[in-house]
């Protein structure tokens, strides 16, 4: 048995598929349509969200950040993250959690604004606040990238790929704001990476 990724073009599955592809590891891809995921899917994804990763042991996990971290851990030769005992590891974990637990949810609040208020007339206000929070988080990343090419100790990691994905979900223009020149530079570099270019044929992240 191998790994199975439940995904959908344009979703957080991009980062997970990218991690496997960059590691040169095979996986089975299952496309989950957006409309009404069935009971079988809800059994492995209680919120009905993609991505889901089913492991060779048969267990399934949600949370894209956990998945890409796991891929980096299981295939260390691909050098997708600093080794577990290295001094850069805490910084890698910090960025993976910041991106997946601060920035990603801020984007979700914008795109699913109706879930974040019981007042049907308040969705615009939720979006406005969500956009401000997205920008506040991206500004943290932008500052951290000053004078360095990559997020973690200036060495490429899968956190950079995760950032590439989130930056192109920015609600204004589907790309990072132009003034975030460090984020734009990082993204431009990754958009030349042949494995990511190939994957983007399906996902159309940029
Ligand atoms: N915390 C989850 C969020 C996953 C998520 O929100 N996925 C979106 C697509 S990018 C989704 O399936 N949305 C459908 C929904 O929430 O109904 C993760 O990091 O994997």
């Amino acid at each position: 048995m191998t790994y199975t990724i439940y995904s959908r073009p344009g979703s957080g599955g991009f980062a997970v598929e990218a991690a496997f592809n960059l590691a040169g590891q095979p996986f089975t891809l299952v496309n989950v349509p957006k409309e009404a995921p069935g009971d079988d899917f809800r059994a492995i994804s209680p919120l009905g969200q993609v991505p889901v990763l089913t492991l060779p042991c048969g267990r399934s996990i949600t949370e894209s950040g956990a998945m890409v971290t796991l891929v980096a851990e299981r295939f260390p030769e691909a050098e997708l993250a600093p080794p577990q005992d290295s001094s850069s590891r805490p910084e890698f974990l910090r960025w993976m959690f910041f991106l997946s637990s601060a920035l990603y949810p801020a984007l979700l609040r914008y795109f699913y604004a109706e879930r974040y208020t019981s007042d049907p007339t308040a969705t615009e206000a939720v979006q406005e606040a969500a956009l401000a929070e997205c920008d506040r988080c991206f500004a943290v990343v932008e500052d951290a990238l000053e004078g360095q090419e990559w997020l973690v100790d200036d060495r490429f990691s899968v956190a950079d790929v995760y950032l590439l994905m989130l930056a192109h979900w920015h609600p204004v223009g589907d790309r990072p704001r132009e003034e975030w020149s460090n984020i734009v530079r990082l993204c431009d570099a990754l958009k030349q990476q042949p494995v990511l270019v190939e994957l983007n044929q399906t996902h159309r992240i940029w």
Side-chain angles (χ1 to χ4, degrees):
M1 197 170 163
T2 176
Y3 291 87
T4 300
I5 304 174
Y6 295 79
S7 183
R8 178 184 311 132
S11 75
F14 173 85
V16 185
E17 292 173 52
F20 274 94
N21 288 344
L22 289 167
Q25 295 298 322
F27 60 88
T28 303
L29 184 63
V30 177
N31 187 50
V32 181
K34 197 167 189 176
E35 300 73 29
D39 290 347
D40 284 359
F41 185 64
R42 285 206 179 258
I44 54 172
S45 178
L47 295 179
Q49 295 175 330
V50 290
V52 172
L53 178 65
T54 301
L55 308 165
C57 67
R59 291 186 188 209
S60 296
I61 58 167
T62 60
E63 304 314 315
S64 53
M67 293 172 210
V68 301
T69 304
L70 186 78
V71 173
E73 257 174 39
R74 291 207 167 174
F75 308 108
E77 63 285 359
E79 298 186 355
L80 295 178
Q84 293 195 35
D85 57 356
S86 80
S87 57
S88 309
R89 186 73 179 181
E91 204 183 330
F92 170 74
L93 293 174
R94 179 264 174 130
W95 283 119
M96 281 312 308
F97 277 78
F98 183 82
L99 295 173
S100 61
S101 71
L103 227 168
Y104 195 150
L107 289 160
L108 291 175
R109 282 202 293 288
Y110 182 92
F111 290 112
Y112 297 94
E114 70 286 353
R115 292 183 184 170
Y116 297 89
T117 174
S118 52
D119 176 356
T121 67
T123 51
E124 261 182 51
V126 172
Q127 283 193 318
E128 207 176 303
L131 184 56
E133 183 63 2
C134 290
D135 285 351
R136 208 163 70 98
C137 291
F138 277 118
V140 171
V141 177
E142 172 69 11
D143 283 353
L145 281 171
E146 193 59 42
Q148 61 183 60
E149 202 177 345
W150 307 112
L151 259 183
V152 180
D153 253 3
D154 212 4
R155 289 192 58 184
F156 167 77
S157 76
V158 76
D160 300 303
V161 177
Y162 205 92
L163 171 61
L164 168 75
M165 176 180 81
L166 297 184
H168 286 81
W169 288 346
H170 191 280
V172 179
D174 294 332
R175 58 176 177 273
R177 288 189 188 274
E178 270 173 32
E179 61 265 36
W180 297 330
S181 56
N182 297 323
I183 298 178
V184 169
R185 180 175 33 76
L186 179 149
C187 290
D188 284 350
L190 287 182
K191 287 194 271 185
Q192 310 293 321
Q193 213 289 345
V195 168
L196 300 179
V197 170
E198 170 74 22
L199 184 60
N200 194 49
Q201 296 293 317
T202 321
H203 279 272
R204 300 283 172 204
I205 294 285
W206 66 85

